[in-house]
Amino acid sequence: MKQKGKLLLVGGLIISYFVSCEDNFDIPILSDSEIKQIITALPKNVVYPTNNLYSNEKDELGKMLYWDPILSGNKDVACVTCHHPQLGYADGLKFSQGVGGVGMGEARSGGSLTRRNAPTIINTAFTGIDISGNYNPLDAPMFWDSRASSLEDQAGGPPLSMEEMRGDAISEEHIIDIIIQRLELIPEYKTMFLQAYGDEEISEERIFKAIATYERGIIANNSRFDQYMNGDLTAMTDHEVQGMNAFIQVGCADCHSGPMFSDYKLHSIGVPDNVYPPDEGAGSYDFRTPTLRNLSITGPYMHNGIHATLEEVMQFYEDVGENDEGNDNINSNLNYSQLDPEIRDLQLDDEHFDAIIAFLKTLDDYSFDKTIPQKVPSGLPVGGNIK
Ligand code: HEC
Ligand code: HEC
């Protein structure tokens, strides 16, 4: 028999009682206070950085900039093109399509392909939060390889990227100046910058601070899991509670922990590579643990969108944990010994799939802001060429 409940023994926690499952597998059910040391609810409110505090005016400005294709070289792509509320603030695609694309979600075609799957914006305001609810929004790793360190920092990336927003008509060196010049010619933007910052100056820093402020308002912190953790024990079924216990005890929560279900660390977990040249992430196929909130609306999964369903993800973890050599579900450029120890220690069996997936769905919460502006100050199509 495999070693079970490793985490419990190491942590010296008390197993309250056992619920017997199919076959020979018993899932110990932890007490709620034990669970809350590993995974827990999100707080009600967002922490804003001291150098970029919330204001209504900045939020409104950020929303316009996020939805306005004026930030793209050919004025055809906005942030929302790949992070749309109707698609869970992602785009539903394996790889995003930026410049030159037309349409939205699976109907989108003709755009320059990015090499990675678009993560959701929902709850990125909480990235970095630990089990005690502490975090610094200026120390919040962004992108699959953690190469940006806050929402402000991240927002500077897409306008420079040729595939995402810039296109090839304007150089990386000039694009920001050109965007600023365009905004300066639009009186509505000048007024909005004045209201948000006290004077009409339009700068790179102010653009990205406003966008980050808007993004911090896109949250979903009242899932059934959050309700359960906040004391409503009717919010989850017994099956889902079993799934939560299995999730912790087979080892998922070794990385997917805290209120965001992430340790924000880079791990080599062996997801097969499907782009050429290979995408090694931060090196050695290291990618950052993503949040597991809102998975029902943010597929396909992994940095390269290789898994279309949660069942496929579970099958991957079972195969990789079992050192199933030669299995093409595992990255063949890596040896088993190069995989993260937590991955090699996974104790996942088929019989857990159902309950764990049921539990993951308790992390869905569709109460995030879905409002779509009627128009943007440039007068360009709202959201770019997405119709
Ligand atoms: C063409 C599609 C596309 C456009 C346009 C786009 N993004 Fe993204 N976004 C992506 C992809 C793909 C990634 C992941 C890239 C990576 O990890 O290297 C990403 C990553 C992010 C992340 C990181 C989330 C996380 O948890 O790590 C944020 C935040 C984000 N984008 C915000 C924006 C903003 C703000 C804009 C507009 C200024 C924007 N995006 C424009 C596709 C796009
Ligand atoms: C060693 C740390 C680690 C462990 C243990 C782990 N994961 Fe992950 N998980 C990651 C990383 C890193 C990624 C992203 C990998 C990539 O994209 O290449 C990921 C991706 C995912 C995704 C895709 C999310 C998305 O939005 O694309 C799901 C779902 C998931 N994990 C669920 C689980 C479950 C369920 C378990 C337990 C069976 C588990 N993970 C165990 C680190 C881990």
Side-chain angles (χ1 to χ4, degrees), residues 338-378:
Q338 292 171 288
L339 295 177
D340 242 69
E342 289 99 335
I343 283 298
R344 288 185 268 136
D345 281 357
L346 274 180
Q347 305 291 321
L348 182 66
D349 291 329
D350 306 11
E351 67 198 59
H352 308 130
F353 286 16
D354 243 27
I356 292 181
I357 291 173
F359 164 62
L360 290 175
K361 291 183 176 164
T362 70
L363 299 173
D364 293 338
D365 173 7
Y366 306 143
S367 67
F368 50 86
D369 178 9
K370 295 181 218 51
T371 54
I372 299 178
Q374 295 292 311
K375 58 180 192 57
V376 286
S378 66

Side-chain angles (χ1 to χ4, degrees), residues 11 27 30 53 66 80 87 90 103 135 154 156 178 180 226 250 255 265 312 326 341 344 350 361 367 376 380:
I27 300 170
L30 305 173
L53 294 174
Y66 182 93
V80 75
L87 297 161
Y135 64 109
Q154 190 287 328
I178 287 177
I180 292 172
D226 294 294
V250 303
C255 305
K265 290 191 180 132
E312 278 180 42
R344 288 185 268 136
D350 306 11
K361 291 183 176 164
S367 67
V376 286
L380 292 164

Side-chain angles (χ1 to χ4, degrees), residues 203-329:
S203 66
E204 180 173 7
E205 187 184 330
R206 287 180 173 187
I207 294 171
F208 300 139
K209 281 186 166 175
I211 293 177
T213 302
Y214 169 62
E215 291 175 299
R216 288 199 175 93
I218 303 166
I219 59 168
N221 52 3
N222 193 29
S223 67
R224 289 195 294 116
F225 168 77
D226 294 294
Q227 293 167 23
Y228 185 93
M229 285 291 132
N230 287 325
D232 178 2
L233 299 185
T234 64
M236 282 169 61
T237 66
D238 289 350
H239 184 55
E240 290 160 351
V241 171
Q242 276 193 8
M244 172 167 71
N245 281 276
F247 176 85
I248 291 172
Q249 289 161 65
V250 303
C252 307
D254 289 1
C255 305
H256 296 284
S257 58
M260 282 292 277
F261 292 80
S262 175
D263 58 2
Y264 319 105
K265 290 191 180 132
L266 297 162
H267 297 279
S268 196
I269 72 166
V271 171
D273 198 29
N274 62 354
V275 287
Y276 186 82
D279 181 357
E280 293 202 48
S284 311
Y285 299 94
D286 272 355
F287 295 94
R288 180 170 49 90
T289 310
T291 182
L292 299 183
R293 287 176 173 272
N294 293 306
L295 289 172
S296 296
I297 48 170
T298 57
Y301 307 108
M302 304 299 181
H303 71 275
N304 53 10
I306 201 162
H307 296 133
T309 64
L310 291 175
E311 284 76 10
E312 278 180 42
V313 172
M314 298 307 284
Q315 193 56 56
F316 158 75
Y317 277 115
E318 187 183 12
D319 293 347
V320 80
E322 282 177 356
N323 187 14
D324 206 349
E325 229 181 299
N327 187 328
D328 59 14
N329 215 0

Side-chain angles (χ1 to χ4, degrees), residues 42-317:
L42 279 171
K44 291 274 170 274
N45 299 311
V46 168
V47 171
Y48 287 76
T50 46
N51 70 354
N52 191 19
L53 294 174
Y54 179 84
S55 79
N56 225 333
E57 291 77 13
K58 225 192 283 172
D59 189 18
E60 267 306 306
L61 171 61
K63 181 169 193 167
M64 291 302 116
L65 294 168
Y66 182 93
W67 285 80
D68 198 333
I70 193 139
L71 298 194
S72 60
N74 303 333
K75 303 184 186 175
D76 61 344
V77 181
C79 304
V80 75
T81 307
C82 305
H83 303 280
H84 198 285
Q86 282 166 11
L87 297 161
Y89 281 95
D91 60 8
L93 297 169
K94 218 170 174 154
F95 298 116
S96 298
Q97 286 187 37
V99 175
V102 179
M104 209 173 102
E106 288 188 349
R108 188 165 174 81
S109 64
S112 302
L113 273 188
T114 63
R115 285 166 50 82
R116 289 194 184 147
N117 174 264
T120 181
I121 303 296
I122 304 170
N123 292 330
T124 48
F126 293 115
T127 296
I129 192 169
D130 68 15
I131 189 73
S132 312
N134 298 320
Y135 64 109
N136 173 1
L138 296 181
D139 183 15
M142 298 285 159
F143 288 122
W144 285 102
D145 50 12
S146 298
R147 69 186 183 279
S149 59
S150 66
L151 285 169
E152 285 80 355
D153 186 16
Q154 190 287 328
L160 301 183
S161 153
M162 180 159 91
E163 296 80 17
E164 291 187 16
M165 298 181 82
R166 180 169 57 85
D168 54 13
I170 304 170
S171 73
E172 211 178 304
E173 199 191 338
H174 292 121
I175 185 71
I176 299 291
D177 287 343
I178 287 177
I179 291 170
I180 292 172
Q181 282 161 23
R182 287 178 186 169
L183 295 175
E184 282 171 343
L185 292 174
I186 301 171
E188 199 180 334
Y189 271 125
K190 291 193 87 163
T191 310
M192 293 187 91
F193 275 87
L194 168 68
Q195 288 167 344
Y197 293 107
D199 64 63
E200 283 184 357
E201 189 201 328
I202 299 181
S203 66
E204 180 173 7
E205 187 184 330
R206 287 180 173 187
I207 294 171
F208 300 139
K209 281 186 166 175
I211 293 177
T213 302
Y214 169 62
E215 291 175 299
R216 288 199 175 93
I218 303 166
I219 59 168
N221 52 3
N222 193 29
S223 67
R224 289 195 294 116
F225 168 77
D226 294 294
Q227 293 167 23
Y228 185 93
M229 285 291 132
N230 287 325
D232 178 2
L233 299 185
T234 64
M236 282 169 61
T237 66
D238 289 350
H239 184 55
E240 290 160 351
V241 171
Q242 276 193 8
M244 172 167 71
N245 281 276
F247 176 85
I248 291 172
Q249 289 161 65
V250 303
C252 307
D254 289 1
C255 305
H256 296 284
S257 58
M260 282 292 277
F261 292 80
S262 175
D263 58 2
Y264 319 105
K265 290 191 180 132
L266 297 162
H267 297 279
S268 196
I269 72 166
V271 171
D273 198 29
N274 62 354
V275 287
Y276 186 82
D279 181 357
E280 293 202 48
S284 311
Y285 299 94
D286 272 355
F287 295 94
R288 180 170 49 90
T289 310
T291 182
L292 299 183
R293 287 176 173 272
N294 293 306
L295 289 172
S296 296
I297 48 170
T298 57
Y301 307 108
M302 304 299 181
H303 71 275
N304 53 10
I306 201 162
H307 296 133
T309 64
L310 291 175
E311 284 76 10
E312 278 180 42
V313 172
M314 298 307 284
Q315 193 56 56
F316 158 75
Y317 277 115

